[in-house]
């Protein structure tokens, strides 16, 4: 596979990076946006000239249901308003694949549609699950899309201690959209996109 000789080693390294993000102290984060149910923080990324965003909120469903809706698969396209297509390009194991997906334009199309090719890995974490991803090189490009790049990103989902049918969902996202976009526009879009992600996910789970 292009640029990914050892999927197991790649997956382990990615998981360890996400666990490292998950242990960053609270005082290193600055609140970017907050609603009643969800808080978004950010800090400068060490991977590129942008921000690492952290999102956290409680979802009214079990860990398995939440992660099944987030990880690559038909569920995701049904509810994620930003995602316009998804193809699994290569399967390694049940919990490990390379996927290509496209996103809709944002901010009145100041940010045009994007294409991403990501390695995705889902693994047990404490009492719950971690679903994480990282963009990989894939030579086949489609001219109608700008190819974006996801630096290590992922979602930790664990049951609430006092309420096992509710889950604490914490995400870490650092996306380089590339192309000629002011970074401030990207940062504004990212915080709002993450807030919407929680709302859309909760609505989809209520219907399921």
């Amino acid at each position: 596979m292009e640029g990914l000789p050892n999927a197991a080693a790649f997956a382990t390294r990615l998981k360890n990076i996400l666990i490292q993000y998950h242990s960053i102290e609270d005082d290193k984060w600055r609140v970017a946006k907050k609603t009643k149910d969800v808080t978004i923080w950010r800090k400068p990324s060490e991977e590129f000239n942008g921000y690492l965003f952290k999102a956290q909120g409680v979802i009214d469903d079990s860990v398995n249901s939440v992660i099944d809706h987030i990880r690559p698969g038909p569920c995701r396209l049904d509810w994620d308003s930003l995602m316009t297509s998804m193809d699994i390009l290569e399967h390694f194991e049940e919990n490990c694949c390379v996927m290509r997906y496209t996103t809709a334009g944002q901010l009145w199309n100041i940010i045009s549609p994007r294409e991403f090719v990501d390695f995705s890995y889902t693994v047990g974490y404490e009492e719950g699950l971690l679903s994480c991803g990282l963009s990989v090189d894939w030579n086949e490009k489609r001219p109608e899309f700008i190819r974006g790049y996801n630096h290590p990103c992922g979602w930790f989902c664990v049951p609430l201690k006092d309420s096992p049918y509710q889950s604490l969902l914490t995400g870490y996202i650092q996306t380089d959209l590339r192309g000629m976009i002011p970074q401030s526009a990207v940062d504004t879009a990212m915080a709002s996109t993450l807030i919407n992600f929680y709302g859309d996910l909760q609505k989809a789970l209520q219907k399921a």
Side-chain angles (χ1 to χ4, degrees), residues 84-100:
T84 52
S85 74
M86 180 197 290
D87 304 296
I88 306 296
L89 301 176
E90 190 157 349
H91 261 297
F92 298 101
E93 302 163 28
E94 191 183 334
N95 60 346
C96 213
C97 70
V98 172
M99 65 166 177
R100 175 171 55 197

Side-chain angles (χ1 to χ4, degrees), residues 28-173:
K28 298 284 192 289
W29 298 99
R30 192 162 71 80
V31 173
K33 193 156 189 170
K34 191 169 186 175
T35 66
K36 181 169 66 75
D37 301 312
V38 184
T39 304
I40 313 296
W41 298 265
R42 71 182 195 189
K43 69 180 287 297
S45 170
E46 293 178 10
E47 300 284 342
F48 77 121
N49 185 28
Y51 286 100
L52 169 62
F53 285 85
K54 174 182 178 179
Q56 191 169 75
V58 172
I59 300 285
D60 293 328
D61 213 321
S62 68
V63 166
N64 285 341
S65 293
V66 173
I67 291 295
D68 275 346
H69 276 68
I70 290 176
R71 65 171 156 200
C75 270
R76 181 72 183 263
L77 264 182
D78 283 346
W79 65 268
D80 190 336
S81 56
L82 194 59
M83 201 174 273
T84 52
S85 74
M86 180 197 290
D87 304 296
I88 306 296
L89 301 176
E90 190 157 349
H91 261 297
F92 298 101
E93 302 163 28
E94 191 183 334
N95 60 346
C96 213
C97 70
V98 172
M99 65 166 177
R100 175 171 55 197
Y101 68 94
T102 54
T103 59
Q106 299 174 68
L107 289 181
W108 305 281
N109 234 33
I110 292 170
I111 300 174
S112 61
R114 290 295 193 270
E115 174 186 69
F116 296 86
V117 177
D118 285 7
F119 175 80
S120 175
Y121 177 52
T122 302
V123 63
Y125 173 80
E126 292 186 351
E127 302 297 313
L129 290 165
L130 162 64
S131 185
C132 49
L134 170 65
S135 286
V136 293
D137 290 328
W138 195 269
N139 290 332
E140 183 199 335
K141 286 190 168 74
R142 291 184 282 191
E144 66 270 32
F145 292 102
I146 293 172
R147 174 72 61 82
Y149 190 93
N150 285 314
H151 294 277
C153 56
W155 296 93
F156 290 87
C157 191
V158 294
L160 281 187
K161 286 187 173 60
D162 303 329
S163 180
Y165 296 106
Q166 289 184 303
S167 302
L168 181 66
L169 183 64
T170 308
Y172 297 90
I173 307 292

